[in-house]
Amino acid sequence: KMRVVLLAEYIRKLPGNYIGILLPSSVATYLTILACQLAGKVPLMVNWTVGPRHLESVVALSQVQVVLSSWAFLDRLENVDLTGIEDLIVMLEDVRQQFSLTDKVKAFIRSKKKTESLLSLFNAQHITKDDQAVLLFTSGTENMPKGVPLSHENILSNQRGALNLVDMRQDDILLGMLPPFHAFGFTLSGLLPLLSGNRVAYYPDPTDGRGLARSIERWKATVVCGAPSFLKGIFKNGQPEQLKTLRLCFTGAEKAPRDLFDMVNSLDHCQLFEGYG
């Protein structure tokens, strides 16, 4: 909470209504998203896999002026062309260097305030359920990408629907691996555990089946959400002993093949649910 408040103070002074976020599934990403919203800005989730033509279109449509990212993330990217936004990128590592001890103490004190007081401090008390909470973009496979603004009520309605259907337990731990630039990743893989009060661990690369299996073992994750190809990577590369804590798997974004159900059913303690379409 203190970090969100600290970052929100910086973000509120940035130009424009939209703040681009170019980050993978991680703790830092969701701290940045929440800081944007507290600062009265709308996070614009940037898809780094789509190429310069898409990125140039996103900038032209949104008029975004700043994109927050991280050296730790960008240095690991391979064969990615960020032409169109590279001049707008501000690194969070550089932002962190600007915070003084006074800034941190101020943020700590503010973080102890009640919600209403904190919202007033950032002039965010007037935000309604119908205001934009995030701006996502279609992949542009059919034509140029289209901006898709989601309201706070859109997201909360989705969360309520999920929690009414899914038997989440108090001790469940979710492994969030999906990139936040798609609705599935942004909502269920990212925000759901934060809003439901469950613990969550994040892993930045959904294509790394071995790494995901190790993370499930390390964090004793019980719930995982992902596209079928990502989940297959986990079950192909992970040993049963590594996956022994898994209880629920949720798949979407594309139709799940029969062999994925067979893989999951081979673990007596885990169930696969499909939410496609």
Side-chain angles (χ1 to χ4, degrees):
K1 188 176 177 182
M2 185 191 79
R3 291 178 180 182
V4 168
V5 172
L6 183 64
L7 192 54
E9 183 62 40
Y10 169 81
I11 290 174
R12 74 191 297 192
K13 298 169 185 172
L14 296 177
N17 182 44
Y18 294 111
I19 301 297
I21 298 178
L22 176 63
L23 292 168
S25 180
S26 65
V27 172
T29 300
Y30 287 93
L31 288 177
T32 306
I33 288 167
L34 295 173
C36 280
Q37 294 176 334
L38 181 59
K41 305 283 189 176
V42 179
L44 185 166
M45 310 311 297
V46 179
N47 183 343
W48 58 86
T49 68
V50 286
R53 186 164 167 264
H54 174 106
L55 296 174
E56 288 167 359
S57 178
V58 166
V59 173
L61 284 169
S62 66
Q63 298 297 301
V64 65
Q65 299 178 56
V66 177
V67 175
L68 297 175
S69 190
S70 164
W71 287 118
F73 171 56
L74 293 187
D75 285 347
R76 291 193 177 110
L77 287 184
E78 296 180 359
N79 302 316
V80 171
D81 188 348
L82 297 178
T83 301
I85 64 166
E86 54 190 5
D87 293 338
L88 307 180
I89 294 176
V90 174
M91 300 300 179
L92 288 173
E93 290 92 342
D94 298 335
V95 173
R96 185 170 59 189
Q97 298 300 320
Q98 299 178 32
F99 296 139
S100 67
L101 178 60
T102 302
D103 293 330
K104 294 173 184 177
V105 171
K106 184 178 174 183
F108 173 76
I109 294 170
R110 284 180 164 184
S111 71
K112 301 301 179 183
K113 290 182 176 291
K114 292 183 178 179
T115 301
E116 293 79 6
S117 300
L118 192 55
L119 290 174
S120 296
L121 274 172
F122 285 90
N123 200 28
Q125 73 272 27
H126 303 302
I127 294 174
T128 73
K129 65 179 183 178
D130 298 317
D131 288 331
Q132 283 189 47
V134 66
L135 181 62
L136 306 177
F137 276 84
T138 61
S139 59
T141 49
E142 297 175 356
N143 208 316
M144 294 306 291
K146 300 174 182 66
V148 183
L150 297 180
S151 70
H152 292 276
E153 181 60 20
N154 287 152
I155 292 171
L156 291 173
S157 173
N158 179 260
Q159 306 290 294
R160 290 188 203 104
L163 290 171
N164 283 335
L165 285 170
V166 179
D167 177 29
M168 289 289 283
R169 300 173 183 171
Q170 193 172 12
D171 59 349
D172 272 328
I173 300 170
L174 188 141
L175 180 69
M177 62 172 174
L178 292 173
F181 53 71
H182 285 153
F184 189 17
F186 185 87
T187 56
L188 294 185
S189 189
L191 286 181
L192 179 72
L194 296 179
L195 295 176
S196 66
N198 287 100
R199 287 186 291 172
V200 57
Y202 295 107
Y203 193 80
D205 185 359
T207 66
D208 180 9
R210 284 190 177 85
L212 288 165
R214 286 195 298 268
S215 285
I216 290 169
E217 181 180 31
R218 177 184 180 185
W219 301 112
K220 297 180 173 55
T222 60
V223 182
V224 66
C225 304
S229 56
F230 301 152
L231 292 179
K232 284 177 72 172
I234 293 173
F235 286 95
K236 279 183 177 179
N237 293 286
Q239 300 300 316
E241 185 67 19
Q242 291 179 300
L243 310 178
K244 65 182 181 182
T245 58
L246 274 186
R247 190 173 71 83
L248 299 172
C249 288
F250 296 96
T251 183
E254 61 192 35
K255 186 166 177 58
R258 182 69 253 170
D259 60 342
L260 177 58
F261 284 91
D262 294 337
M263 287 178 183
V264 178
N265 289 338
S266 68
L267 299 177
D268 295 335
H269 49 81
C270 188
Q271 285 182 288
L272 177 68
F273 295 92
E274 184 177 18
Y276 171 64

